[in-house]
Amino acid sequence: MASEIGIGVIGMGWMGQVHSRSYRQIQDRFVDRGIRPQLVICADEAEPRALDGQSRFGFERTTTDWREVIDDPRVGAISVTTPNNVHLEIAEAAAAAGKHMYCEKPVGRNPAETAAVEACARAAGVLSLVGYNYRWAPLVQHAHKLIAAGKLGELTHYRGCFLIGYANNPDGVLSWRFQRELAGLGTLGDLMSHVIDMAHFLYGPIARVGAPFTPVPFAPSLEKAYLPSADDVVAAVRRVME
Ligand SMILES: NC(=O)c1ccc[n+]([C@@H]2O[C@H](COP(=O)([O-])OP(=O)(O)OC[C@H]3O[C@@H](n4cnc5c(N)ncnc54)[C@H](O)[C@@H]3O)[C@@H](O)[C@H]2O)c1
């Protein structure tokens, strides 16, 4: 008989939905682990998102106040899938309440916040996991095995870049990602943290770092802007690749 663990998800946007969908698959895909996640409560400060999460994934109840998730005695583990500015506060409350946590990356808006989350999780003795999902991709796992077996010899250089197009339209939504107070380190935290995690996973630790600086002329902004042409996008990608 599988043992049940109560799950609370805080922040029901993109990642909150991804985490919720994944919890529903655990009992089926990892049947030998004997664990059955029970979706107890989901929170979003935007109530329609919380209600949508409930109807899509079957959470027993919803709230607009994330503290109710922590306070629910049935919840044993939480997902922190809010924007970065609230990760630390939620993690501290969760650790104090003895809840295990799966926090999305970047854990903090800056290294100090990330270290504070690690410290509170360690002090409370709760399990913690960060959403560096690319290391689980089969190709990356295979590369990891090849490197660990010495098949690629001694590695001296790792070059990583993250190609993505969501910030290429100035008419796009000026979401929390483009606001320092909410996001922290911008693309360094949002995307390059994945690349750095992959370096650590494949062969770390990192001794020296170098990076080209490529200003992107067409990120979302409140100022009048233009829609980049396909040529603009290709040129920007080439600059990153050079
Ligand atoms: N691992 C990955 O590949 C990956 C991909 C995307 C995002 N992320 C990370 O996941 C986190 C969430 O990103 P997202 O893209 O899902 O954002 P999103 O904007 O789609 O969703 C965030 C949700 O949090 C809610 N929210 C904001 N403040 C809240 C609060 N105080 N209490 C409750 N709810 C609140 C918002 O209403 C929104 O519904 C970020 O840390 C982001 O960096 C990770």
Side-chain angles (χ1 to χ4, degrees):
M1 176 92 172
S3 63
E4 182 181 302
I5 178 164
I7 301 292
V9 177
I10 302 175
M12 288 305 293
W14 178 17
M15 279 303 116
Q17 293 176 22
V18 168
H19 282 224
S20 305
R21 196 170 294 123
S22 303
Y23 285 126
R24 283 167 57 108
Q25 298 187 28
I26 285 177
Q27 196 185 358
D28 176 24
R29 298 199 179 207
F30 302 96
V31 65
D32 54 321
R33 297 301 162 111
I35 291 173
R36 184 161 58 84
Q38 184 68 24
L39 298 185
V40 174
I41 179 169
C42 67
D44 200 293
E45 64 177 10
E47 191 174 26
R49 288 215 167 172
L51 293 172
D52 181 58
Q54 183 179 38
S55 69
R56 288 174 72 157
F57 306 110
F59 285 92
E60 291 171 17
R61 66 188 190 97
T62 69
T63 176
T64 53
D65 177 4
W66 61 262
R67 291 183 185 281
E68 278 188 42
V69 177
I70 310 282
D71 291 343
D72 191 317
R74 288 193 56 208
V75 169
I78 63 160
S79 274
V80 185
T81 47
T82 58
N84 310 338
N85 62 310
V86 264
H87 289 184
L88 174 57
E89 195 183 357
I90 295 173
E92 284 179 338
K99 315 277 171 168
H100 306 298
M101 61 180 103
Y102 185 174
C103 185
E104 266 306 338
K105 45 51 60 182
V107 171
R109 284 173 294 182
N110 52 55
E113 283 193 355
T114 303
V117 171
E118 187 208 3
C120 75
R122 278 192 197 281
V126 295
L127 298 175
S128 63
L129 181 68
V130 184
Y132 287 120
N133 43 304
Y134 294 100
R135 59 162 62 193
W136 304 113
L139 191 66
V140 179
Q141 289 283 323
H142 183 61
H144 175 72
K145 282 185 189 148
L146 289 179
I147 292 168
K151 296 255 166 74
L152 303 187
E154 186 195 351
L155 304 191
T156 56
H157 182 73
Y158 165 90
R159 178 170 179 267
C161 63
F162 196 122
L163 299 178
I164 196 162
Y166 71 73
N168 72 357
N169 185 345
D171 295 330
V173 175
L174 184 68
S175 75
W176 61 266
R177 278 193 172 73
F178 305 102
Q179 300 172 55
R180 189 179 292 273
E181 184 51 29
L182 305 180
L185 292 175
T187 194
L188 273 182
D190 198 27
L191 302 178
M192 292 313 284
S193 60
H194 278 296
V195 174
I196 290 166
D197 176 67
M198 204 182 290
H200 280 294
F201 176 63
L202 289 174
Y203 201 61
I206 297 169
R208 279 199 304 161
V209 180
F213 172 64
T214 309
V216 179
F218 39 70
S221 86
L222 290 176
E223 292 160 21
K224 187 166 169 35
Y226 66 96
L227 196 60
S229 68
D231 288 345
D232 287 335
V233 176
V234 170
V237 170
R238 285 222 171 97
R239 280 200 299 276
V240 174
M241 298 294 290
E242 276 166 12

